[in-house]
Amino acid sequence: MSTTLKNADHPNPSVHWINDSLPELKHVQRHATKFDLILLSAVWMHIAPSSRQRAFRKLSSLLKPNGNMVISLRHGASPDTRTMHPVSADELKQYAQQQGLSFRLLNARDDQLGRQDVAWETVLLTLPDDGTGAFPLIRNIVINDSKSSTYKVALLRTLLRIAEGHPGAVLERTQSHIALPMGLVSLYWLKLYKPLVDTFSMHQGGSGKLGFVKANGWETLTNYSPNDFYIGRCIFDSDEATSVYRTLKDIASTIKNMPAKYITLPGTKDEIFQVELNRSQAPKHSLILDFEFLKSLGTFYVPRSIWDVLTNYSVWIEPALVNEWVSLMVSMAIKIDPLLANKI
């Protein structure tokens, strides 16, 4: 239906009609408008499967916090010449996880026109929000930020793991922020990147652009696995202890100067995370990865609202982070060796 015909049928001056189509939605996105409700009634089966992931991503980016997207799914053969494709609620559930939306299957019903070979399902998808705007902010960093990088996603995954596994590690809790031991942030960053760097380092150029992978630190720890870096671990060999210390220091510096510096509030240069690094001495003999050592490297400050969202909304945040992480890793692997992407 054309815009002219819609305006003729509904000449209300408060209704603004935009003639657009999926999966591009070029005209709608040009208006930079967010919506409380997006309704796709008897639409999804007309979108080719190869275009659905892109279409869903575009639609989800148009939702306001707590906004809802309602999609009706038609099951059954097409009796006419219109092109239709099979649809499923499970497909939409997968897309919802990738985009950080909640998923709910509302109902299944028979066709209201009495067609025996046609049935319908209705799916409700919601952009969760805690009222502070922190959840949409995190989602924007992960999914919509034009400067998305592995460092940004890695930092958010690191903080999410700490929020889930070590809530007692918080050094300070105020109305505005919480403080974490910088060493703990570095340690989980190390555990996250270790298997990837080990894989990529076997291929030329695999780790050359990672600033925290240095000869006098990380590259001397090739015999370590990610599981070797756990809280309470004691490293008795003085050379290995120094290498671990230098690696965690290099990671802390990289986090401060890269993702923490460039993760900013939308439209501003205001940094969301703050990092204070301490001057500390390398161990002379052994090293224990305990709370005192992790505190000695500095402090990482997280806004209270973001910390609460990481704690309470991890069920929606983690799948979106993992999906973006895998996508970035595959892109990196393809640049190094197309066959390497199959191992991720």
Side-chain angles (χ1 to χ4, degrees):
M1 184 178 290
S2 69
T3 305
T4 302
L5 184 56
K6 287 180 178 178
N7 281 323
D9 290 345
H10 305 279
N12 191 324
S14 63
V15 177
H16 180 61
W17 293 101
I18 302 175
N19 191 12
D20 213 335
S21 61
L22 288 168
E24 289 82 6
L25 291 181
K26 294 179 180 179
H27 302 299
V28 174
Q29 291 197 318
R30 194 175 298 148
H31 286 261
T33 302
K34 302 288 185 180
F35 299 92
D36 294 303
L37 174 65
I38 297 174
L39 173 64
L40 283 80
S41 179
V43 171
W44 196 249
M45 68 279 193
H46 295 299
I47 302 175
S50 60
S51 299
R52 285 178 183 166
Q53 189 170 28
R54 180 186 177 199
F56 192 94
R57 184 176 68 250
K58 296 258 188 177
L59 289 165
S60 64
S61 70
L62 296 173
L63 284 173
K64 285 184 179 180
N66 274 330
N68 295 313
M69 179 159 54
V70 180
I71 302 178
S72 66
L73 301 176
R74 170 178 164 156
H75 303 284
S78 172
D80 51 40
T81 59
R82 293 178 299 169
T83 301
M84 295 188 187
H85 307 277
V87 295
S88 74
D90 287 341
E91 177 189 45
L92 290 176
K93 185 176 182 179
Q94 179 182 354
Y95 293 156
Q97 290 177 332
Q98 293 173 357
Q99 299 300 316
L101 303 183
S102 67
F103 170 92
R104 183 180 173 191
L105 182 60
L106 293 182
N107 57 48
R109 57 181 173 81
D110 296 332
D111 183 59
Q112 292 182 344
L113 298 179
R115 292 169 293 190
Q116 297 301 313
D117 58 345
V118 176
W120 297 85
E121 287 180 310
T122 303
V123 170
L124 173 65
L125 305 128
T126 304
L127 175 60
D129 182 36
D130 65 337
T132 67
F135 185 92
L137 176 59
I138 293 175
R139 186 177 177 278
N140 180 74
I141 294 169
V142 177
I143 298 172
N144 298 327
D145 193 337
S146 61
K147 297 181 179 179
S148 180
S149 68
T150 57
Y151 281 0
K152 289 184 179 182
V153 179
L155 180 56
L156 290 176
R157 288 195 71 190
T158 294
L159 295 177
L160 184 63
R161 290 186 176 187
I162 294 173
E164 289 184 306
H166 299 283
V170 173
L171 298 172
E172 178 185 61
R173 187 186 301 268
T174 70
Q175 292 294 325
S176 62
H177 69 267
I178 65 99
L180 296 172
M182 188 65 226
L184 184 61
V185 179
S186 295
L187 185 66
Y188 268 84
W189 177 286
L190 171 59
K191 290 168 68 69
L192 188 63
Y193 266 105
K194 190 69 168 64
L196 299 171
V197 174
D198 288 348
T199 299
F200 288 158
S201 64
M202 294 186 296
H203 299 259
Q204 186 175 2
S207 61
K209 295 183 179 180
L210 298 176
F212 54 88
V213 179
K214 297 183 178 180
N216 63 350
W218 185 294
E219 293 184 357
T220 65
L221 303 175
T222 55
N223 293 328
Y224 279 73
S225 75
N227 293 331
D228 290 326
F229 299 98
Y230 56 85
I231 297 175
R233 171 70 187 270
C234 185
I235 303 170
F236 292 104
D237 184 277
S238 59
D239 291 336
E240 291 184 352
T242 300
S243 295
V244 172
Y245 167 79
R246 287 175 175 170
T247 296
L248 294 177
K249 289 280 286 184
D250 291 337
I251 291 172
S253 179
T254 297
I255 291 174
K256 176 180 174 63
N257 295 319
M258 294 297 292
K261 180 178 180 179
Y262 293 106
I263 296 179
T264 59
L265 293 172
T268 74
K269 294 184 179 180
D270 297 335
E271 298 172 15
I272 294 175
F273 304 110
Q274 304 295 323
V275 181
E276 292 181 359
L277 300 182
N278 293 342
R279 291 188 177 183
S280 55
Q281 297 294 323
K284 296 181 179 180
H285 303 289
S286 62
L287 172 66
I288 302 177
L289 298 177
D290 59 7
F291 195 55
E292 291 303 316
F293 167 72
L294 297 176
K295 288 194 302 182
S296 71
L297 298 185
T299 308
F300 190 95
Y301 295 94
V302 183
R304 177 69 179 269
S305 59
I306 289 182
W307 179 257
D308 290 343
V309 164
L310 292 174
T311 302
N312 299 324
Y313 289 83
S314 61
V315 67
W316 291 299
I317 296 173
E318 176 69 11
L321 283 172
V322 171
N323 180 72
E324 188 67 18
W325 178 262
V326 171
S327 177
L328 290 167
M329 290 301 102
V330 170
S331 298
M332 184 184 299
I334 290 174
K335 293 178 181 179
I336 299 170
D337 182 350
L339 296 179
L340 182 60
N342 296 325
K343 298 181 181 182
I344 298 177

